Structures are given as C-alpha cells and as structure tokens.
Amino acid sequence: TRICKQMKHCADIPFIILTAEYGEEVRAAASEAHASCFLNKPAKSSELKETLSRLLTQPNNTILRAV
C-alpha cells in the first residue's frame, strides 16, 4: 500500500485491511501502511458494506467511480 499511495495514478485508491489479527500493533502497522480502513475478521457484512459505501462516495475516489 505504501508504494501505491506514493504513485500519483493510484494514490486515491482506498485500501481495506481485513485481518484476523488483533491488537494495537496490527492497527499501527495498517496505519503506517496508509490503509484507508481496518476491519477485524469475522467482519459483519453490514460493516463491510458500510465501509465500502463510505469509501466509494468520498470525493477523491474518482478512479473507482470510473470503473
């Protein structure tokens, strides 16, 4: 994610970290990797849908809306 966030043509692509790992260390690593969102497994489908909806409607996600 770090490399992609540094590249201008894909810097606006959101990244969701979905993991079974818990703890502040894992959250810190996701934050350092510039993840847009962090979800723990098992994630509820409603939580995932809400997260995707929020990320897709952010004004800087023009790349995703064009797909």
Side-chain angles (χ1 to χ4, degrees), residues 3-66:
I3 293 170
C4 195
K5 291 289 185 179
Q6 293 171 357
M7 299 170 72
K8 290 185 185 214
H9 66 277
C10 66
D12 293 336
I13 297 173
F15 286 91
I16 299 172
I17 303 294
L18 182 62
T19 180
E21 300 290 326
Y22 286 86
E24 289 302 315
E25 295 167 354
V26 177
R27 286 190 175 273
S31 179
E32 288 175 18
H34 303 285
S36 305
C37 186
F38 181 91
L39 297 174
N40 285 111
K41 289 181 183 178
K44 296 179 182 176
S45 61
S46 60
E47 183 180 19
L48 183 57
K49 287 178 187 178
E50 181 181 306
T51 299
L52 290 171
S53 177
R54 180 176 44 83
L55 291 172
L56 290 172
T57 57
Q58 289 178 348
N60 61 337
N61 289 333
T62 56
I63 294 172
L64 291 178
R65 284 197 297 267

